[in-house]
mmCIF file of all heavy atoms in Angstrom:
data_model
loop_
_atom_site.group_PDB
_atom_site.id
_atom_site.type_symbol
_atom_site.label_atom_id
_atom_site.label_comp_id
_atom_site.label_asym_id
_atom_site.label_seq_id
_atom_site.Cartn_x
_atom_site.Cartn_y
_atom_site.Cartn_z
ATOM 1 N N LYS A 62 35.917 -7.017 1.717
ATOM 2 C CA LYS A 62 36.740 -8.227 1.555
ATOM 3 C C LYS A 62 38.182 -7.854 1.188
ATOM 4 O O LYS A 62 39.140 -8.469 1.668
ATOM 5 C CB LYS A 62 36.125 -9.102 0.467
ATOM 6 C CG LYS A 62 36.911 -10.366 0.140
ATOM 7 C CD LYS A 62 36.101 -11.260 -0.779
ATOM 8 C CE LYS A 62 36.956 -12.372 -1.396
ATOM 9 N NZ LYS A 62 37.751 -11.905 -2.527
ATOM 10 N N SER A 63 38.336 -6.812 0.381
ATOM 11 C CA SER A 63 39.679 -6.434 -0.078
ATOM 12 C C SER A 63 40.519 -5.799 1.025
ATOM 13 O O SER A 63 41.760 -5.859 0.971
ATOM 14 C CB SER A 63 39.575 -5.472 -1.264
ATOM 15 O OG SER A 63 39.116 -4.192 -0.847
ATOM 16 N N ILE A 64 39.900 -5.186 2.022
ATOM 17 C CA ILE A 64 40.673 -4.534 3.093
ATOM 18 C C ILE A 64 40.754 -5.409 4.348
ATOM 19 O O ILE A 64 41.396 -5.021 5.327
ATOM 20 C CB ILE A 64 40.092 -3.155 3.462
ATOM 21 C CG1 ILE A 64 38.666 -3.287 4.020
ATOM 22 C CG2 ILE A 64 40.119 -2.211 2.271
ATOM 23 C CD1 ILE A 64 38.094 -1.978 4.548
ATOM 24 N N ALA A 65 40.096 -6.574 4.325
ATOM 25 C CA ALA A 65 40.122 -7.473 5.480
ATOM 26 C C ALA A 65 41.385 -8.323 5.475
ATOM 27 O O ALA A 65 41.979 -8.595 4.430
ATOM 28 C CB ALA A 65 38.886 -8.367 5.474
ATOM 29 N N THR A 66 41.795 -8.730 6.665
ATOM 30 C CA THR A 66 42.877 -9.703 6.841
ATOM 31 C C THR A 66 42.250 -10.985 7.376
ATOM 32 O O THR A 66 41.517 -10.958 8.374
ATOM 33 C CB THR A 66 43.922 -9.183 7.828
ATOM 34 O OG1 THR A 66 44.504 -7.978 7.302
ATOM 35 C CG2 THR A 66 45.018 -10.209 8.063
ATOM 36 N N PHE A 67 42.538 -12.107 6.709
ATOM 37 C CA PHE A 67 41.916 -13.372 7.079
ATOM 38 C C PHE A 67 42.933 -14.283 7.766
ATOM 39 O O PHE A 67 44.086 -14.407 7.325
ATOM 40 C CB PHE A 67 41.343 -14.063 5.840
ATOM 41 C CG PHE A 67 40.229 -13.284 5.192
ATOM 42 C CD1 PHE A 67 40.506 -12.373 4.171
ATOM 43 C CD2 PHE A 67 38.922 -13.443 5.611
ATOM 44 C CE1 PHE A 67 39.491 -11.638 3.576
ATOM 45 C CE2 PHE A 67 37.895 -12.715 5.025
ATOM 46 C CZ PHE A 67 38.182 -11.804 4.007
ATOM 47 N N GLY A 68 42.502 -14.902 8.873
ATOM 48 C CA GLY A 68 43.376 -15.820 9.589
ATOM 49 C C GLY A 68 44.212 -15.133 10.654
ATOM 50 O O GLY A 68 43.986 -13.981 11.010
ATOM 51 N N GLU A 69 45.204 -15.838 11.144
ATOM 52 C CA GLU A 69 46.043 -15.330 12.230
ATOM 53 C C GLU A 69 47.032 -14.292 11.707
ATOM 54 O O GLU A 69 47.475 -14.360 10.567
ATOM 55 C CB GLU A 69 46.787 -16.491 12.895
ATOM 56 C CG GLU A 69 45.849 -17.516 13.526
ATOM 57 C CD GLU A 69 46.603 -18.606 14.258
ATOM 58 O OE1 GLU A 69 47.196 -18.284 15.313
ATOM 59 O OE2 GLU A 69 46.604 -19.754 13.785
ATOM 60 N N HIS A 70 47.379 -13.347 12.575
ATOM 61 C CA HIS A 70 48.347 -12.301 12.217
ATOM 62 C C HIS A 70 48.984 -11.773 13.503
ATOM 63 O O HIS A 70 48.470 -12.002 14.608
ATOM 64 C CB HIS A 70 47.672 -11.169 11.427
ATOM 65 C CG HIS A 70 46.460 -10.595 12.105
ATOM 66 N ND1 HIS A 70 46.539 -9.693 13.129
ATOM 67 C CD2 HIS A 70 45.136 -10.830 11.899
ATOM 68 C CE1 HIS A 70 45.311 -9.364 13.529
ATOM 69 N NE2 HIS A 70 44.451 -10.038 12.811
ATOM 70 N N PRO A 71 50.099 -11.073 13.405
ATOM 71 C CA PRO A 71 50.843 -10.643 14.604
ATOM 72 C C PRO A 71 50.081 -9.678 15.505
ATOM 73 O O PRO A 71 50.443 -9.515 16.668
ATOM 74 C CB PRO A 71 52.087 -9.953 14.016
ATOM 75 C CG PRO A 71 52.195 -10.459 12.626
ATOM 76 C CD PRO A 71 50.809 -10.731 12.165
ATOM 77 N N TYR A 72 49.057 -9.007 14.970
ATOM 78 C CA TYR A 72 48.376 -7.970 15.748
ATOM 79 C C TYR A 72 47.242 -8.521 16.604
ATOM 80 O O TYR A 72 46.565 -7.771 17.304
ATOM 81 C CB TYR A 72 47.822 -6.905 14.812
ATOM 82 C CG TYR A 72 48.862 -6.285 13.917
ATOM 83 C CD1 TYR A 72 48.929 -6.611 12.565
ATOM 84 C CD2 TYR A 72 49.791 -5.382 14.431
ATOM 85 C CE1 TYR A 72 49.898 -6.057 11.742
ATOM 86 C CE2 TYR A 72 50.756 -4.818 13.617
ATOM 87 C CZ TYR A 72 50.807 -5.163 12.270
ATOM 88 O OH TYR A 72 51.768 -4.617 11.465
ATOM 89 N N MET A 73 47.024 -9.837 16.575
ATOM 90 C CA MET A 73 45.875 -10.405 17.280
ATOM 91 C C MET A 73 46.009 -10.290 18.790
ATOM 92 O O MET A 73 45.011 -10.299 19.511
ATOM 93 C CB MET A 73 45.669 -11.865 16.884
ATOM 94 C CG MET A 73 45.315 -12.039 15.417
ATOM 95 S SD MET A 73 44.891 -13.721 14.961
ATOM 96 C CE MET A 73 43.220 -13.822 15.549
ATOM 97 N N SER A 74 47.226 -10.147 19.290
ATOM 98 C CA SER A 74 47.442 -10.087 20.738
ATOM 99 C C SER A 74 47.520 -8.650 21.256
ATOM 100 O O SER A 74 47.800 -8.426 22.429
ATOM 101 C CB SER A 74 48.733 -10.819 21.106
ATOM 102 O OG SER A 74 49.839 -10.224 20.443
ATOM 103 N N MET A 75 47.252 -7.678 20.384
ATOM 104 C CA MET A 75 47.326 -6.281 20.815
ATOM 105 C C MET A 75 46.182 -5.953 21.751
ATOM 106 O O MET A 75 45.163 -6.628 21.793
ATOM 107 C CB MET A 75 47.304 -5.353 19.592
ATOM 108 C CG MET A 75 48.543 -5.466 18.729
ATOM 109 S SD MET A 75 48.528 -4.332 17.323
ATOM 110 C CE MET A 75 48.777 -2.768 18.166
ATOM 111 N N SER A 76 46.351 -4.896 22.522
ATOM 112 C CA SER A 76 45.350 -4.519 23.522
ATOM 113 C C SER A 76 44.051 -4.092 22.845
ATOM 114 O O SER A 76 44.015 -3.775 21.654
ATOM 115 C CB SER A 76 45.877 -3.368 24.382
ATOM 116 O OG SER A 76 46.148 -2.232 23.578
ATOM 117 N N ALA A 77 42.993 -4.034 23.653
ATOM 118 C CA ALA A 77 41.657 -3.757 23.122
ATOM 119 C C ALA A 77 41.532 -2.358 22.526
ATOM 120 O O ALA A 77 40.680 -2.122 21.674
ATOM 121 C CB ALA A 77 40.622 -3.939 24.223
ATOM 122 N N ASP A 78 42.378 -1.426 22.987
ATOM 123 C CA ASP A 78 42.281 -0.065 22.471
ATOM 124 C C ASP A 78 43.153 0.169 21.234
ATOM 125 O O ASP A 78 43.264 1.289 20.741
ATOM 126 C CB ASP A 78 42.650 0.959 23.555
ATOM 127 C CG ASP A 78 44.054 0.740 24.105
ATOM 128 O OD1 ASP A 78 44.647 -0.310 23.792
ATOM 129 O OD2 ASP A 78 44.535 1.622 24.845
ATOM 130 N N ALA A 79 43.767 -0.875 20.703
ATOM 131 C CA ALA A 79 44.568 -0.742 19.481
ATOM 132 C C ALA A 79 43.651 -0.646 18.273
ATOM 133 O O ALA A 79 42.468 -0.984 18.334
ATOM 134 C CB ALA A 79 45.503 -1.932 19.342
ATOM 135 N N PHE A 80 44.222 -0.172 17.158
ATOM 136 C CA PHE A 80 43.424 -0.004 15.945
ATOM 137 C C PHE A 80 43.324 -1.329 15.192
ATOM 138 O O PHE A 80 43.847 -1.487 14.086
ATOM 139 C CB PHE A 80 44.032 1.095 15.065
ATOM 140 C CG PHE A 80 43.869 2.463 15.647
ATOM 141 C CD1 PHE A 80 44.952 3.124 16.208
ATOM 142 C CD2 PHE A 80 42.630 3.082 15.662
ATOM 143 C CE1 PHE A 80 44.805 4.384 16.759
ATOM 144 C CE2 PHE A 80 42.471 4.339 16.210
ATOM 145 C CZ PHE A 80 43.552 4.996 16.761
ATOM 146 N N VAL A 81 42.642 -2.277 15.826
ATOM 147 C CA VAL A 81 42.409 -3.584 15.229
ATOM 148 C C VAL A 81 40.974 -4.001 15.545
ATOM 149 O O VAL A 81 40.552 -3.932 16.697
ATOM 150 C CB VAL A 81 43.384 -4.651 15.775
ATOM 151 C CG1 VAL A 81 43.128 -5.994 15.097
ATOM 152 C CG2 VAL A 81 44.828 -4.224 15.581
ATOM 153 N N GLU A 82 40.238 -4.404 14.544
ATOM 154 C CA GLU A 82 38.866 -4.904 14.721
ATOM 155 C C GLU A 82 38.862 -6.358 14.287
ATOM 156 O O GLU A 82 39.160 -6.666 13.128
ATOM 157 C CB GLU A 82 37.905 -4.089 13.869
ATOM 158 C CG GLU A 82 36.435 -4.332 14.166
ATOM 159 C CD GLU A 82 35.958 -3.622 15.413
ATOM 160 O OE1 GLU A 82 36.041 -2.388 15.476
ATOM 161 O OE2 GLU A 82 35.511 -4.340 16.329
ATOM 162 N N ILE A 83 38.573 -7.280 15.221
ATOM 163 C CA ILE A 83 38.689 -8.711 14.936
ATOM 164 C C ILE A 83 37.359 -9.410 15.191
ATOM 165 O O ILE A 83 36.722 -9.205 16.226
ATOM 166 C CB ILE A 83 39.776 -9.365 15.812
ATOM 167 C CG1 ILE A 83 41.123 -8.663 15.615
ATOM 168 C CG2 ILE A 83 39.907 -10.847 15.490
ATOM 169 C CD1 ILE A 83 42.208 -9.153 16.542
ATOM 170 N N PHE A 84 36.943 -10.242 14.239
ATOM 171 C CA PHE A 84 35.760 -11.078 14.391
ATOM 172 C C PHE A 84 36.190 -12.534 14.225
ATOM 173 O O PHE A 84 36.813 -12.897 13.236
ATOM 174 C CB PHE A 84 34.713 -10.714 13.339
ATOM 175 C CG PHE A 84 34.240 -9.298 13.441
ATOM 176 C CD1 PHE A 84 34.853 -8.293 12.701
ATOM 177 C CD2 PHE A 84 33.202 -8.959 14.293
ATOM 178 C CE1 PHE A 84 34.429 -6.971 12.797
ATOM 179 C CE2 PHE A 84 32.769 -7.642 14.403
ATOM 180 C CZ PHE A 84 33.386 -6.649 13.654
ATOM 181 N N GLY A 85 35.862 -13.370 15.213
ATOM 182 C CA GLY A 85 36.324 -14.744 15.183
ATOM 183 C C GLY A 85 37.699 -14.869 15.799
ATOM 184 O O GLY A 85 38.249 -13.904 16.346
ATOM 185 N N SER A 86 38.271 -16.063 15.713
ATOM 186 C CA SER A 86 39.579 -16.288 16.319
ATOM 187 C C SER A 86 40.402 -17.266 15.485
ATOM 188 O O SER A 86 39.867 -17.998 14.642
ATOM 189 C CB SER A 86 39.409 -16.847 17.739
ATOM 190 O OG SER A 86 38.709 -18.075 17.704
ATOM 191 N N GLY A 87 41.688 -17.237 15.732
ATOM 192 C CA GLY A 87 42.586 -18.164 15.080
ATOM 193 C C GLY A 87 42.542 -18.069 13.566
ATOM 194 O O GLY A 87 42.458 -16.987 12.986
ATOM 195 N N LYS A 88 42.553 -19.228 12.904
ATOM 196 C CA LYS A 88 42.569 -19.248 11.446
ATOM 197 C C LYS A 88 41.263 -18.764 10.831
ATOM 198 O O LYS A 88 41.219 -18.439 9.640
ATOM 199 C CB LYS A 88 42.887 -20.657 10.950
ATOM 200 C CG LYS A 88 41.834 -21.692 11.324
ATOM 201 C CD LYS A 88 42.207 -23.065 10.810
ATOM 202 C CE LYS A 88 41.126 -24.092 11.154
ATOM 203 N NZ LYS A 88 41.480 -25.434 10.628
ATOM 204 N N ASP A 89 40.188 -18.695 11.631
ATOM 205 C CA ASP A 89 38.905 -18.231 11.124
ATOM 206 C C ASP A 89 38.668 -16.743 11.370
ATOM 207 O O ASP A 89 37.585 -16.228 11.086
ATOM 208 C CB ASP A 89 37.760 -19.025 11.771
ATOM 209 C CG ASP A 89 37.717 -20.461 11.271
ATOM 210 O OD1 ASP A 89 38.016 -20.677 10.085
ATOM 211 O OD2 ASP A 89 37.376 -21.352 12.077
ATOM 212 N N ALA A 90 39.671 -16.053 11.890
ATOM 213 C CA ALA A 90 39.496 -14.636 12.215
ATOM 214 C C ALA A 90 39.371 -13.785 10.951
ATOM 215 O O ALA A 90 40.008 -14.052 9.928
ATOM 216 C CB ALA A 90 40.673 -14.146 13.048
ATOM 217 N N VAL A 91 38.535 -12.771 11.051
ATOM 218 C CA VAL A 91 38.423 -11.740 10.010
ATOM 219 C C VAL A 91 38.758 -10.425 10.690
ATOM 220 O O VAL A 91 38.062 -10.013 11.632
ATOM 221 C CB VAL A 91 37.013 -11.689 9.400
ATOM 222 C CG1 VAL A 91 36.938 -10.587 8.341
ATOM 223 C CG2 VAL A 91 36.629 -13.038 8.805
ATOM 224 N N SER A 92 39.810 -9.744 10.234
ATOM 225 C CA SER A 92 40.317 -8.567 10.934
ATOM 226 C C SER A 92 40.416 -7.360 10.010
ATOM 227 O O SER A 92 40.587 -7.486 8.789
ATOM 228 C CB SER A 92 41.711 -8.862 11.519
ATOM 229 O OG SER A 92 41.705 -10.026 12.309
ATOM 230 N N PHE A 93 40.334 -6.191 10.643
ATOM 231 C CA PHE A 93 40.551 -4.920 9.949
ATOM 232 C C PHE A 93 41.577 -4.167 10.772
ATOM 233 O O PHE A 93 41.376 -3.912 11.962
ATOM 234 C CB PHE A 93 39.236 -4.152 9.813
ATOM 235 C CG PHE A 93 38.220 -4.893 9.000
ATOM 236 C CD1 PHE A 93 37.372 -5.819 9.595
ATOM 237 C CD2 PHE A 93 38.127 -4.691 7.632
ATOM 238 C CE1 PHE A 93 36.442 -6.531 8.853
ATOM 239 C CE2 PHE A 93 37.204 -5.407 6.872
ATOM 240 C CZ PHE A 93 36.360 -6.327 7.488
ATOM 241 N N ILE A 94 42.697 -3.849 10.137
ATOM 242 C CA ILE A 94 43.861 -3.346 10.847
ATOM 243 C C ILE A 94 44.220 -1.951 10.351
ATOM 244 O O ILE A 94 44.192 -1.685 9.154
ATOM 245 C CB ILE A 94 45.061 -4.303 10.645
ATOM 246 C CG1 ILE A 94 44.681 -5.724 11.100
ATOM 247 C CG2 ILE A 94 46.287 -3.816 11.400
ATOM 248 C CD1 ILE A 94 45.687 -6.785 10.688
ATOM 249 N N ALA A 95 44.564 -1.090 11.306
ATOM 250 C CA ALA A 95 45.024 0.286 11.056
ATOM 251 C C ALA A 95 43.847 1.234 10.881
ATOM 252 O O ALA A 95 42.732 0.846 10.535
ATOM 253 C CB ALA A 95 45.960 0.363 9.859
ATOM 254 N N VAL A 96 44.145 2.512 11.127
ATOM 255 C CA VAL A 96 43.111 3.545 11.183
ATOM 256 C C VAL A 96 42.321 3.646 9.888
ATOM 257 O O VAL A 96 41.089 3.691 9.886
ATOM 258 C CB VAL A 96 43.742 4.913 11.525
ATOM 259 C CG1 VAL A 96 42.695 6.016 11.458
ATOM 260 C CG2 VAL A 96 44.386 4.874 12.894
ATOM 261 N N LYS A 97 43.014 3.677 8.744
ATOM 262 C CA LYS A 97 42.342 3.858 7.463
ATOM 263 C C LYS A 97 41.359 2.719 7.191
ATOM 264 O O LYS A 97 40.201 2.945 6.811
ATOM 265 C CB LYS A 97 43.359 3.939 6.327
ATOM 266 C CG LYS A 97 42.747 4.181 4.948
ATOM 267 C CD LYS A 97 43.831 4.321 3.891
ATOM 268 C CE LYS A 97 43.241 4.616 2.520
ATOM 269 N NZ LYS A 97 42.404 3.498 2.028
ATOM 270 N N ASN A 98 41.790 1.487 7.382
ATOM 271 C CA ASN A 98 40.918 0.342 7.113
ATOM 272 C C ASN A 98 39.748 0.274 8.077
ATOM 273 O O ASN A 98 38.621 -0.063 7.688
ATOM 274 C CB ASN A 98 41.719 -0.962 7.179
ATOM 275 C CG ASN A 98 42.620 -1.145 5.976
ATOM 276 O OD1 ASN A 98 42.415 -0.528 4.935
ATOM 277 N ND2 ASN A 98 43.635 -1.986 6.107
ATOM 278 N N ILE A 99 39.986 0.596 9.342
ATOM 279 C CA ILE A 99 38.892 0.575 10.312
ATOM 280 C C ILE A 99 37.885 1.680 9.997
ATOM 281 O O ILE A 99 36.674 1.489 10.127
ATOM 282 C CB ILE A 99 39.438 0.715 11.742
ATOM 283 C CG1 ILE A 99 40.163 -0.578 12.124
ATOM 284 C CG2 ILE A 99 38.327 1.023 12.740
ATOM 285 C CD1 ILE A 99 40.775 -0.564 13.501
ATOM 286 N N GLY A 100 38.383 2.838 9.535
ATOM 287 C CA GLY A 100 37.475 3.916 9.125
ATOM 288 C C GLY A 100 36.595 3.486 7.962
ATOM 289 O O GLY A 100 35.377 3.734 7.959
ATOM 290 N N GLU A 101 37.208 2.828 6.969
ATOM 291 C CA GLU A 101 36.422 2.326 5.835
ATOM 292 C C GLU A 101 35.455 1.238 6.277
ATOM 293 O O GLU A 101 34.311 1.177 5.820
ATOM 294 C CB GLU A 101 37.362 1.787 4.756
ATOM 295 C CG GLU A 101 38.051 2.864 3.928
ATOM 296 C CD GLU A 101 38.652 2.300 2.648
ATOM 297 O OE1 GLU A 101 37.896 2.120 1.670
ATOM 298 O OE2 GLU A 101 39.869 2.034 2.648
ATOM 299 N N PHE A 102 35.918 0.365 7.167
ATOM 300 C CA PHE A 102 35.060 -0.693 7.695
ATOM 301 C C PHE A 102 33.812 -0.097 8.350
ATOM 302 O O PHE A 102 32.687 -0.544 8.092
ATOM 303 C CB PHE A 102 35.849 -1.530 8.697
ATOM 304 C CG PHE A 102 35.006 -2.437 9.547
ATOM 305 C CD1 PHE A 102 34.526 -3.640 9.045
ATOM 306 C CD2 PHE A 102 34.691 -2.084 10.854
ATOM 307 C CE1 PHE A 102 33.743 -4.473 9.829
ATOM 308 C CE2 PHE A 102 33.920 -2.916 11.651
ATOM 309 C CZ PHE A 102 33.444 -4.109 11.132
ATOM 310 N N ASP A 103 33.990 0.926 9.183
ATOM 311 C CA ASP A 103 32.855 1.561 9.858
ATOM 312 C C ASP A 103 31.890 2.182 8.856
ATOM 313 O O ASP A 103 30.666 2.022 8.958
ATOM 314 C CB ASP A 103 33.348 2.629 10.840
ATOM 315 C CG ASP A 103 34.010 2.021 12.065
ATOM 316 O OD1 ASP A 103 33.728 0.848 12.367
ATOM 317 O OD2 ASP A 103 34.805 2.728 12.716
ATOM 318 N N THR A 104 32.435 2.896 7.866
ATOM 319 C CA THR A 104 31.591 3.568 6.873
ATOM 320 C C THR A 104 30.817 2.566 6.024
ATOM 321 O O THR A 104 29.605 2.710 5.796
ATOM 322 C CB THR A 104 32.454 4.458 5.958
ATOM 323 O OG1 THR A 104 33.126 5.438 6.757
ATOM 324 C CG2 THR A 104 31.596 5.169 4.924
ATOM 325 N N LEU A 105 31.499 1.546 5.553
ATOM 326 C CA LEU A 105 30.868 0.559 4.667
ATOM 327 C C LEU A 105 29.826 -0.278 5.397
ATOM 328 O O LEU A 105 28.724 -0.512 4.882
ATOM 329 C CB LEU A 105 31.937 -0.350 4.063
ATOM 330 C CG LEU A 105 32.912 0.313 3.080
ATOM 331 C CD1 LEU A 105 34.094 -0.609 2.799
ATOM 332 C CD2 LEU A 105 32.215 0.697 1.783
ATOM 333 N N THR A 106 30.150 -0.727 6.600
ATOM 334 C CA THR A 106 29.189 -1.564 7.328
ATOM 335 C C THR A 106 27.991 -0.742 7.798
ATOM 336 O O THR A 106 26.872 -1.258 7.853
ATOM 337 C CB THR A 106 29.850 -2.256 8.533
ATOM 338 O OG1 THR A 106 30.490 -1.287 9.371
ATOM 339 C CG2 THR A 106 30.873 -3.279 8.068
ATOM 340 N N GLN A 107 28.197 0.523 8.115
ATOM 341 C CA GLN A 107 27.069 1.389 8.487
ATOM 342 C C GLN A 107 26.106 1.537 7.316
ATOM 343 O O GLN A 107 24.880 1.493 7.490
ATOM 344 C CB GLN A 107 27.586 2.764 8.924
ATOM 345 C CG GLN A 107 26.539 3.686 9.503
ATOM 346 C CD GLN A 107 26.120 3.304 10.902
ATOM 347 O OE1 GLN A 107 24.982 2.905 11.112
ATOM 348 N NE2 GLN A 107 27.027 3.413 11.858
ATOM 349 N N TYR A 108 26.641 1.701 6.123
ATOM 350 C CA TYR A 108 25.808 1.808 4.920
ATOM 351 C C TYR A 108 25.017 0.518 4.701
ATOM 352 O O TYR A 108 23.805 0.543 4.469
ATOM 353 C CB TYR A 108 26.686 2.098 3.704
ATOM 354 C CG TYR A 108 25.921 2.135 2.394
ATOM 355 C CD1 TYR A 108 25.391 3.327 1.910
ATOM 356 C CD2 TYR A 108 25.727 0.975 1.648
ATOM 357 C CE1 TYR A 108 24.682 3.362 0.719
ATOM 358 C CE2 TYR A 108 25.020 0.991 0.458
ATOM 359 C CZ TYR A 108 24.498 2.196 -0.010
ATOM 360 O OH TYR A 108 23.787 2.218 -1.191
ATOM 361 N N LEU A 109 25.699 -0.614 4.767
ATOM 362 C CA LEU A 109 25.038 -1.899 4.533
ATOM 363 C C LEU A 109 24.009 -2.193 5.622
ATOM 364 O O LEU A 109 22.927 -2.731 5.340
ATOM 365 C CB LEU A 109 26.081 -3.011 4.478
ATOM 366 C CG LEU A 109 27.038 -2.962 3.282
ATOM 367 C CD1 LEU A 109 28.194 -3.946 3.474
ATOM 368 C CD2 LEU A 109 26.299 -3.254 1.975
#
């Protein structure tokens, strides 16, 4: 929750190969942006 970005942000229109992981859309989007956060996202969700 602390490393997630909630809602709309400038990176939502980036290409699919960018370092952005997005679930949902618009104001309901939950995103993880940049290499470090996506790495933590992968590690934490794999554990859970």
